[in-house]
Every structure is written in structure tokens, then in C-alpha cells.
Amino acid sequence: MSDMFCFQCEQTVGGKACTGKKGTCGKMADTSNLQDEMTGALVALARAAEGKTLSKEVVHIMMEGMFTAITNVNFNDPVLQELIKRIDTLTASLGGDTAAYPMGDIWGGDEDIRSLKSLILLGLRGMGAYAYHAWVLGYSDDLVNEFFFTGMRAIGSGMDASELLPLVLKTGEVNLKCMELLDTANTSSYGDPVPVEVPLAIEKGPFIVVSGHDLFDLHALLKQTEGKGINIYTHGEMLPAHGYPKLKAFKHLKGNFGTAWQNQQKEFLDMPGAVLFTTNCLMPPKDNYKDRI
Ligand code: SF4
């Protein structure tokens, strides 16, 4: 196993970087290196797509790749390997070179360029999660979609600091646009959130706990379990879901279980229910409860 380099979140070791064999979040070096390879493959896809009309398939895989590499989303190496193959297939279908851009050149390169490119990349990854959540609800924005590709070409470019800085600012601007898109998707689908009291008591009977931010997944689960005697509880960042009128209308959305996402490895021990993880709230599951995820 080669060593890793990752400094994308606030848990990073010493406020500098997770290096060596394992990150603070539990991500192993092999997984981190596959995420780098996948990111390099997305640079190749962005290059191949330059000047062409972006198909839904190409936009979707770009969002998927961005989303999958953020903290606490995916620790599954075979899934990453399969994603790299799908990206390469699309790059080849556009007539591009499938050689992945070597992300190590950025991690080990000039510190100013590394910082500016990382601001763009990590901004795009966060935006990928928002855009993906809006996409599953049927909402998309061409400006947001196109900027993923502009940004990834910049990651793989030889641009200097004066050229990268305006793109960093643009990343922030497009992120706001993307948050607006997700807000429209959520409120159009489930109504404008209202203040609500959320019970913390767990009632008798079978139940499923849902974490993350994906309202589409929560809604699908609520429909699937309606009238079946199974209660649903939110966990961590899913708590605000109770405010959306079309979600709180489900009587079996009973309340909130436990506390914040980072307490899951304690709170799910011996919990007599199943867990649906969505978005970026997954920590490496303990043996005690991993067969109930
Ligand atoms: S995502 Fe994981 S490996 Fe990367 S900086 Fe955060 S804690 Fe470290």
C-alpha cells in the first residue's frame, strides 16, 4: 500500500494533512490513492469534453465522481475502481486520452499552486454533492454543470497563480448558484420548511434511522414503509428534514434518534434498528452494526 495525501477536511492530522496508511476519518491509503486516480480520470474527461455539448451521462458521472470523493461518503475500493472504468469509457467515447492526470504532481508541487488548485477542487467536490442531490429531484443548471468541467481543466493545467485566483473566486460564486439550485429543488419538492418540535423519544416497534442530507432518499423510504408498522427516525444532519411539510406529513416519521453524525459509532452500537446512510455521514461501520446498514 502506497502512502496517501489528503487534506480536504477539518479532521486532517495536525491541521496539515493525513499522510501514511490511514486518515483520521478511517480512509485507508489505497482508497485515498484510488480517489486521486478517479479525480485524475475526471480531469481527462473534462479535457475530452472541451468544446462539445455535455451529455446528461457525462454531467452525471462528473457529479458522481466529485460527490464520492468528499469526506465520509465512500470507503469502498471496488466501487471506485468500477467508477474509474466508467469515466474512462466516456472519455474514450469523446475521443479523449484516458490517461489520468497525476494528482501527486499537485500534492508535491509548488505550495501556492497546490493551495489554489485545492480550493477549486474541494469547492467542486462540495458542489458535486449539492448538484447531485438537486439532480435526483429533477433539477439541474447548465452554468453549474459547465463549471465542473472548466474547473477540472484548470486542475490539470499549467496555469499560474494569477490565472487560478479568478477561478477560485468563480468557484465560490458558482457554489452559491448551486446552493440556490438545491434549495429550489428541496422546497419545490417538499415545501418551505417551517419551525417544528422534534420528539427525541424512541417508540416501541421496528424502526429505521436515516442520516445525511438526501431528502429524496428519505422520502422514498417513507413511502416504502408507510402502513407497514415501521417507524422512521432522523439522525445527525437529517434533523432539518422534519421541517419540510411534505415529509413531516408522514405520521411514521416519528422523531430524531441520537445526536451528531460523529457519534454514530457509539450510538448505533446495539441499536435494535437498521440505518440508512445518505450523503457524507458514513464512518467506517463497526462490526456490531454493519449488518444492519
Ligand atoms: S477526508 Fe479523511 S483522510 Fe482526508 S483530510 Fe479528512 S480525515 Fe484526513
Side-chain angles (χ1 to χ4, degrees), residues 16-209:
K16 291 188 175 163
C18 293
T19 54
K21 306 296 179 208
K22 190 177 181 183
T24 310
C25 62
K27 182 166 77 176
M28 304 301 291
D30 282 351
T31 309
S32 189
N33 292 331
L34 276 170
Q35 287 181 346
D36 280 352
E37 187 184 336
M38 186 274 299
T39 303
L42 288 177
V43 171
L45 176 66
R47 286 171 171 164
E50 187 164 19
K52 302 189 173 85
T53 304
L54 296 174
S55 69
K56 280 190 171 181
E57 205 180 2
V58 167
V59 171
H60 187 271
I61 207 163
M62 178 61 82
M63 285 179 197
E64 187 182 348
M66 291 295 170
F67 183 9
T68 214
I70 64 176
T71 308
N72 292 331
V73 170
N74 190 346
F75 299 103
N76 191 320
D77 292 355
V79 169
L80 281 164
Q81 284 157 344
E82 188 266 344
L83 178 57
I84 292 166
K85 276 191 200 150
R86 283 193 285 130
I87 295 168
D88 287 350
T89 301
L90 281 175
T91 301
S93 76
L94 293 171
D97 179 354
T98 58
Y101 175 77
M103 294 302 291
D105 287 2
I106 298 177
W107 309 144
D110 175 85
E111 62 183 10
D112 289 338
I113 300 299
R114 175 172 66 230
S115 295
L116 290 163
K117 286 190 173 181
S118 296
L119 282 168
I120 296 170
L121 176 64
L122 305 186
L124 293 179
R125 284 184 178 167
M127 198 168 87
Y130 288 139
Y132 194 97
H133 283 14
W135 180 282
V136 294
L137 291 170
Y139 291 78
S140 175
D141 183 292
D142 287 347
L143 188 149
V144 170
N145 296 344
E146 279 159 20
F147 191 71
F148 284 117
F149 293 80
T150 305
M152 288 308 275
R153 282 191 287 273
I155 300 295
S157 75
M159 286 180 175
D160 65 19
S162 69
E163 295 168 298
L164 289 168
L165 186 57
L167 275 174
V168 170
L169 299 178
K170 186 79 182 168
T171 305
E173 188 186 317
V174 180
N175 255 275
L176 283 178
K177 181 91 188 147
C178 190
M179 287 170 77
E180 190 184 341
L181 173 72
L182 179 58
D183 184 57
T184 302
N186 284 340
T187 54
S188 302
S189 303
Y190 305 117
D192 286 324
V194 293
V196 62
E197 265 188 41
V198 181
L200 299 175
I202 306 301
E203 297 186 12
K204 276 192 178 168
F207 66 95
I208 300 173
V209 170

Side-chain angles (χ1 to χ4, degrees), residues 203-231:
E203 297 186 12
K204 276 192 178 168
F207 66 95
I208 300 173
V209 170
V210 189
S211 85
H213 312 232
D214 195 325
L215 301 185
F216 175 85
D217 281 355
L218 173 63
H219 186 244
L221 182 70
L222 287 166
K223 283 197 292 183
Q224 287 161 13
T225 50
E226 194 168 24
K228 299 218 162 60
I230 301 168
N231 290 330

Side-chain angles (χ1 to χ4, degrees), residues 176-291:
L176 283 178
K177 181 91 188 147
C178 190
M179 287 170 77
E180 190 184 341
L181 173 72
L182 179 58
D183 184 57
T184 302
N186 284 340
T187 54
S188 302
S189 303
Y190 305 117
D192 286 324
V194 293
V196 62
E197 265 188 41
V198 181
L200 299 175
I202 306 301
E203 297 186 12
K204 276 192 178 168
F207 66 95
I208 300 173
V209 170
V210 189
S211 85
H213 312 232
D214 195 325
L215 301 185
F216 175 85
D217 281 355
L218 173 63
H219 186 244
L221 182 70
L222 287 166
K223 283 197 292 183
Q224 287 161 13
T225 50
E226 194 168 24
K228 299 218 162 60
I230 301 168
N231 290 330
I232 306 298
Y233 296 90
T234 56
H235 184 268
E237 292 165 28
M238 192 55 94
L239 176 64
H242 292 275
Y244 288 87
K246 288 188 186 166
L247 297 174
K248 82 184 179 79
F250 287 92
K251 299 289 175 236
H252 63 304
L253 179 59
K254 291 287 186 181
N256 190 70
F257 175 91
T259 56
W261 68 271
Q262 66 268 30
N263 297 327
Q264 62 189 255
Q265 289 176 327
K266 280 181 278 176
E267 293 179 352
F268 295 161
L269 288 179
D270 300 321
M271 184 187 76
V275 189
L276 171 64
F277 279 100
T278 77
T279 325
N280 60 326
C281 290
L282 176 67
M283 296 169 84
K286 298 278 185 198
D287 286 344
N288 174 283
Y289 62 85
K290 74 178 178 192
D291 61 340

